[in-house]
């Protein structure tokens, strides 16, 4: 009986070891070989888009105007708060306020300070989000119109050069910054419609 059991066990082990191995799939990407002869590569300086693309400059000016308005309103509210504190402090030192009035002044001062902080956080965040949303939309349009520019001028690869970017050196002959910005400015009305 032991011999039979051993034989069955041996058959089971042999059968398990001889099962076909799973087939491995080739994970090599299928990248077509492209021509290198006549490959047209160009780049534009990203900083120049910010300086010379009219729509970008206008949107940046709007963002700066909103930021200034926010800062001025914040200063105004802070001034009202400080003037209230100074005035009530002088009244308290002159003995013009009762203990009950002083408690009410402290409560109002705390409320004013909370409102000031709430405004600063809420409005500051709203302006920041609005600016980021605007810049993201512009960047997406520059990318889309970069594709159109490349198709029009038969450019195979359009790179973005900027400080801290991944491109260390490119020949100046490959620079299409001025022409690309002119292209963007010429199509500005269409870009604005799409935003």
């Amino acid at each position: 009986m032991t011999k039979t059991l051993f034989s069955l066990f041996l058959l089971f082990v042999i059968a398990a070891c001889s099962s076909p191995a799973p087939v491995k799939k080739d994970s090599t990407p299928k990248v077509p070989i492209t021509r290198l002869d006549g490959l047209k590569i160009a780049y534009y300086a990203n900083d120049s888009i910010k300086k010379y693309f009219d729509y970008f400059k206008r949107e940046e000016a709007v963002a700066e105007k909103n930021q200034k308005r926010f800062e001025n309103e914040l200063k105004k509210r802070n001034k009202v708060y400080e003037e209230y504190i100074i005035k009530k402090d002088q009244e308290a030192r002159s003995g013009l306020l009762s203990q009950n009035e002083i408690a009410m002044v402290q409560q109002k001062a705390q409320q004013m300070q909370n409102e000031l902080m709430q405004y600063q956080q809420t409005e500051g965040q709203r302006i920041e989000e609005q600016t980021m949303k605007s810049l993201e939309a512009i960047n997406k349009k520059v990318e889309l119109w970069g594709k159109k520019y490349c198709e029009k001028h038969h450019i195979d690869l359009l790179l973005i050069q900027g400080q801290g970017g991944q491109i260390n050196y490119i020949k100046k002959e490959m620079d299409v910054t001025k022409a690309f910005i002119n292209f963007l400015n010429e199509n500005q009305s269409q870009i604005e419609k799409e935003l």
Side-chain angles (χ1 to χ4, degrees):
M1 183 166 181
T2 324
K3 190 175 180 185
T4 310
L5 197 58
F6 179 75
S7 298
L8 283 173
F9 177 75
L10 190 60
L11 279 173
F12 178 76
V13 170
I14 292 172
C17 291
S18 65
S19 64
V23 179
K24 290 185 178 180
K25 291 186 179 182
D26 185 13
S27 62
T28 306
K30 306 289 187 249
V31 179
I33 298 173
T34 58
R35 61 178 169 72
L36 294 177
D37 186 36
L39 183 68
K40 198 170 180 182
I41 301 173
Y43 77 94
Y44 67 88
N46 196 38
D47 291 346
S48 294
I49 295 287
K50 296 173 184 173
K51 277 185 184 175
Y52 301 112
F53 178 30
D54 294 334
Y55 185 70
F56 188 93
K57 290 189 313 185
R58 192 172 69 228
E59 287 298 305
E60 190 173 51
V62 167
E64 287 174 5
K65 186 177 177 183
N66 288 339
Q67 182 66 30
K68 273 238 188 284
R69 189 179 314 128
F70 165 67
E71 289 171 3
N72 289 338
E73 180 64 22
L74 195 58
K75 284 179 187 176
K76 182 179 135 189
R77 290 180 183 212
N78 198 40
K79 184 178 178 185
V80 168
Y81 168 72
E82 288 174 357
E83 287 174 351
Y84 178 78
I85 296 293
I86 291 169
K87 179 183 175 195
K88 293 303 177 181
D89 184 54
Q90 288 173 347
E91 289 176 5
R93 289 178 191 264
S94 300
L96 300 174
L97 299 177
S98 67
Q99 289 296 332
N100 191 26
E101 290 173 320
I102 290 174
M104 289 173 54
V105 165
Q106 289 173 340
Q107 186 178 7
K108 183 173 179 174
Q110 184 65 43
Q111 180 185 355
M112 289 174 77
Q113 186 180 33
N114 289 341
E115 288 171 0
L116 184 64
M117 288 173 54
Q118 180 68 31
Y119 173 78
Q120 184 176 4
Q121 290 173 349
T122 305
E123 190 63 13
Q125 183 176 356
R126 185 189 71 77
I127 289 171
E128 184 177 333
E129 286 173 0
Q130 184 180 27
T131 301
M132 291 302 293
K133 189 176 180 180
S134 175
L135 292 177
E136 280 179 26
I138 292 169
N139 287 333
K140 285 180 182 179
K141 289 302 168 189
V142 167
E143 187 177 318
L144 173 74
W145 283 84
K147 180 182 179 207
K148 291 179 182 185
Y149 179 79
C150 289
E151 289 169 351
K152 180 179 179 179
H153 298 288
H154 308 287
I155 296 172
D156 298 301
L157 185 63
L158 181 63
L159 304 171
I160 303 169
Q161 191 269 332
Q163 188 173 6
Q166 296 180 0
I167 300 168
N168 186 8
Y169 171 77
I170 302 176
K171 282 186 170 187
K172 189 71 177 156
E173 294 86 35
M174 297 170 73
D175 186 356
V176 295
T177 303
K178 191 173 184 178
F180 182 53
I181 291 171
N182 288 340
F183 177 78
L184 290 173
N185 285 331
E186 289 166 6
N187 292 285
Q188 183 167 318
S189 60
Q190 184 63 34
I191 293 171
E192 287 182 54
K193 284 180 191 174
E194 294 174 2
L195 288 171

